[in-house]
């Protein structure tokens, strides 16, 4: 009955019972419910009341277990529900980007896209796809900030300069990277990108793009 109720509630907004393969499952579930109901009624008539006394604590434990399971499910799924509208808006903006006209404000569109993505990430920290996209978004934000800096060097150019300098220690490299003319304050975007990519992989180790993101930042 629980499965049928869930299927019925789903069909209120997405009706799929016209598909024979799905309708056959519903018919089989209904038949199972009818048979179980008949057998339960027969068993209750044949079993004395004293023999059914142990069922009450079992039903009580089952009810407590269902409540605990429901709490866990709500804790897991409510963040996904909260993030869904922001995620879909982000997808819409991504799909709209190639169709922007020459007179469109690309920077404003990009800011809007990153804003809704970050809202989705804040709402749901357990969605690996969103966290992986956020990691790439912070890399893109770094690139944009670097283009506006006094010394507009890309990350690849900075990496080449760091390797050519042959620093003798990590501390020397870090001090050089933190200079205003190199990474400066923009380094925080790369650090955040690194953290988000690692977090995405901890949620789903099969995200290939997150490994690529880490490989681009690991030398820092």
């Amino acid at each position: 009955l629980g499965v049928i109720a869930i299927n019925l509630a789903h069909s209120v907004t997405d009706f799929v019972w016209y598909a024979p393969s799905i309708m056959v499952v519903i018919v089989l579930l209904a038949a199972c419910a009818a048979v179980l109901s008949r057998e339960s009624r027969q068993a209750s008539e044949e079993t004395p009341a004293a023999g059914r006394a142990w069922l009450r604590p079992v039903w009580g434990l089952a009810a407590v277990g269902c409540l605990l399971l429901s709490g866990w499910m709500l804790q897991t799924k409510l963040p996904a529900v909260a993030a869904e509208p922001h995620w879909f808006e982000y997808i819409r903006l991504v799909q709209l980007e190639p169709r922007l006209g020459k007179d469109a404000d690309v920077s404003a569109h990009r800011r809007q896209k990153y804003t809704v993505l970050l809202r989705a990430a804040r709402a749901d920290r357990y969605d690996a796809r969103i966290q992986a996209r956020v990691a790439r978004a912070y890399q893109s934000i770094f690139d944009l900030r670097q283009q506006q800096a006094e010394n507009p060097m890309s990350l690849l150019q900075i990496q080449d300069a760091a390797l050519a300098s042959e620093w003798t220690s990590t501390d020397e490299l870090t001090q050089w990277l933190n200079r205003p003319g190199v990474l400066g304050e923009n380094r925080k975007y790369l650090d955040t990108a690194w953290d988000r990519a690692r977090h995405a992989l901890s949620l789903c180790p099969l995200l290939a793009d997150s490994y690529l993101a880490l490989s681009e930042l690991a030398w820092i």
Side-chain angles (χ1 to χ4, degrees):
L1 290 177
V3 176
I4 294 175
I6 292 172
N7 200 296
L8 178 62
H10 177 85
S11 297
V12 171
T13 57
D14 182 19
F15 187 78
V16 290
W17 285 7
Y18 62 85
S21 59
I22 296 177
M23 196 59 203
V24 165
V25 174
I26 298 300
V27 171
L28 291 175
L29 287 170
C32 290
V35 172
L36 289 172
S37 176
R38 183 174 67 250
E39 291 184 354
S40 177
R41 187 164 55 251
Q42 292 175 353
S44 63
E45 293 173 355
E46 296 172 359
T47 305
R52 299 195 300 270
W54 62 274
L55 290 176
R56 291 185 177 179
V58 172
W59 280 112
L61 290 174
V64 172
C66 287
L67 288 175
L68 293 175
L69 181 62
S70 299
W72 174 79
M73 292 173 63
L74 288 174
Q75 184 180 8
T76 303
K77 292 301 180 184
L78 281 180
V81 172
E84 184 176 278
H86 305 300
W87 174 247
F88 284 149
E89 176 64 11
Y90 168 76
I91 293 176
R92 187 188 71 82
L93 293 172
V94 170
Q95 294 175 344
L96 181 63
E97 203 165 17
R99 300 194 296 270
L100 291 177
K102 295 181 179 179
D103 299 330
D105 191 347
V106 177
S107 60
H109 179 85
R110 189 182 290 118
R111 283 195 301 270
Q112 185 181 6
K113 180 179 68 173
Y114 292 154
T115 298
V116 295
L117 178 61
L118 293 177
R119 286 175 183 170
R122 283 192 295 268
D124 187 4
R125 287 187 53 82
Y126 305 104
D127 192 306
R129 298 174 306 164
I130 295 178
Q131 299 301 324
R133 291 290 185 95
V134 168
R136 284 300 191 184
Y138 273 106
Q139 285 184 271
S140 299
I141 294 173
F142 167 81
D143 293 335
L144 294 173
R145 293 299 181 95
Q146 280 294 107
Q147 293 174 9
Q148 301 169 1
E150 296 180 1
N151 187 16
M153 296 176 62
S154 66
L155 183 60
L156 185 58
Q157 291 173 330
I158 295 174
Q159 181 179 4
D160 292 339
L163 295 176
S165 300
E166 297 182 353
W167 298 107
T168 57
S169 68
T170 305
D171 292 337
E172 291 182 359
L173 173 61
T174 301
Q175 292 176 4
W176 177 74
L177 288 174
N178 291 339
R179 291 178 181 176
V182 188
L183 293 181
E185 295 183 355
N186 292 335
R187 174 172 179 165
K188 61 184 178 184
Y189 301 111
L190 298 181
D191 292 338
T192 305
W194 172 269
D195 293 337
R196 292 302 181 97
R198 285 175 59 87
H199 180 55
L201 288 174
S202 71
L203 297 171
C204 179
L206 303 178
L207 297 174
D209 188 64
S210 293
Y211 289 106
L212 295 176
L214 291 180
S215 68
E216 296 170 6
L217 303 173
W219 67 273
I220 299 177

